[in-house]
């Protein structure tokens, strides 16, 4: 959902864009700068297709802490006992309580909640699952709400035809001016009756149904 900018002076930095940055095979189906993707979730358990963790990274050691708001797996400096940093020579991992939003690293914006969304693109050739990561509070809230709604209407969310979109939203972050950001939104352009009809089929047969099924007696 962003591109890397390489200035003539200084270090590269990421810049958000209003479209999905896709590989060539995805662009061949949805266009060069798509704002909508037709997706399906491969399984029913959102802990597998939409895991959400607090994650803290170090440029030297990579992921140094991952927590769920209750417990965290954290890397400590073996000699000082502090959180691993660029001056750390050796690390040791320990399970510790995770205070979630009250964590000092979260308040310093060194740690943040991240959702890793894994989904199928049925119209794109090949066998595999695509992944998109977001740390946006608004995107994570929208995706969770969309999953709950789809499951409430269809009885399940796996292999249900859905639409993943980038939509504009005006926000006013604390200490900043109002601005427009583009967040994730989960919906469907398929008629509700058609979605429920697809959800009534076994997950492995949803993609085998023709667009215009023969009329049943």
């Amino acid at each position: 959902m962003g591109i890397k900018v390489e200035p003539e002076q200084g270090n590269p930095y990421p810049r958000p864009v209003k479209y999905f940055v896709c590989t060539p095979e995805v662009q061949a189906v949805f266009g060069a700068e798509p704002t909508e993707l037709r997706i399906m979730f491969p399984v029913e358990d959102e802990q597998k297709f939409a895991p959400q963790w607090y994650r803290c990274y170090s440029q030297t050691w990579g992921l140094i802490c991952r927590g769920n708001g209750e417990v965290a797996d954290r890397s400590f400096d073996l000699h000082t006992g502090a959180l691993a940093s660029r001056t750390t020579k050796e690390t040791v991992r320990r399970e510790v309580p995770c205070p979630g939003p009250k964590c000092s690293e979260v308040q310093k914006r060194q740690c943040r909640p991240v959702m890793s969304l894994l989904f199928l693109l049925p119209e794109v050739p090949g066998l595999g699952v695509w992944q998109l990561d977001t740390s946006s509070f608004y995107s994570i809230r929208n995706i969770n709400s969309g999953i709950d709604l789809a499951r409430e209407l269809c009885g399940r969310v796996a292999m249900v035809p859905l639409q993943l979109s980038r939509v504009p939203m005006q926000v006013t972050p604390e200490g900043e001016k109002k601005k427009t950001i583009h967040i994730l939104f989960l919906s469907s352009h398929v008629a509700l009756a058609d979605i429920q009809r697809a959800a009534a089929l076994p997950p492995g047969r949803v993609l085998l149904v023709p667009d215009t099924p023969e009329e049943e007696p």
Side-chain angles (χ1 to χ4, degrees), residues 8-101:
E8 294 182 0
Q9 297 180 348
N11 297 322
Y13 61 91
R15 186 179 70 193
V17 293
K18 62 182 180 181
Y19 55 89
F20 292 105
V21 181
C22 302
T23 59
E25 57 265 47
V26 178
Q27 292 178 342
V29 176
F30 295 102
E33 298 182 355
T35 58
E36 296 180 340
L37 300 174
R38 292 179 290 278
I39 73 167
M40 287 180 172
F41 294 124
V43 294
E44 189 62 29
D45 185 359
E46 59 261 40
Q47 295 300 320
K48 295 181 178 179
F49 71 79
Q52 301 162 55
W53 300 89
Y54 285 94
R55 297 184 183 181
C56 183
Y57 289 90
S58 162
Q59 289 186 348
T60 305
W61 295 97
L63 182 64
I64 55 176
C65 189
R66 188 182 76 163
N68 61 5
E70 296 181 358
V71 295
D73 181 38
R74 174 171 284 206
S75 292
F76 292 93
D77 188 302
L78 182 62
H79 303 288
T80 67
L83 182 65
S85 65
R86 60 185 178 85
T87 60
T88 298
K89 302 301 182 182
E90 294 181 88
T91 65
V92 59
R93 297 192 73 86
R94 301 191 187 115
E95 188 174 279
V96 296
C98 176

Side-chain angles (χ1 to χ4, degrees), residues 24 46 72-73 106 111 145 148 195:
E46 59 261 40
D73 181 38
V106 173
C111 177
S145 297
D148 291 341
I195 295 178

Side-chain angles (χ1 to χ4, degrees), residues 1 55 57 114-118 131-136 184:
M1 294 184 290
R55 297 184 183 181
Y57 289 90
V114 178
M115 170 188 278
S116 296
L117 196 65
L118 295 96
Q131 179 174 328
L132 182 153
D133 294 340
T134 178
S135 61
S136 164
L184 295 175

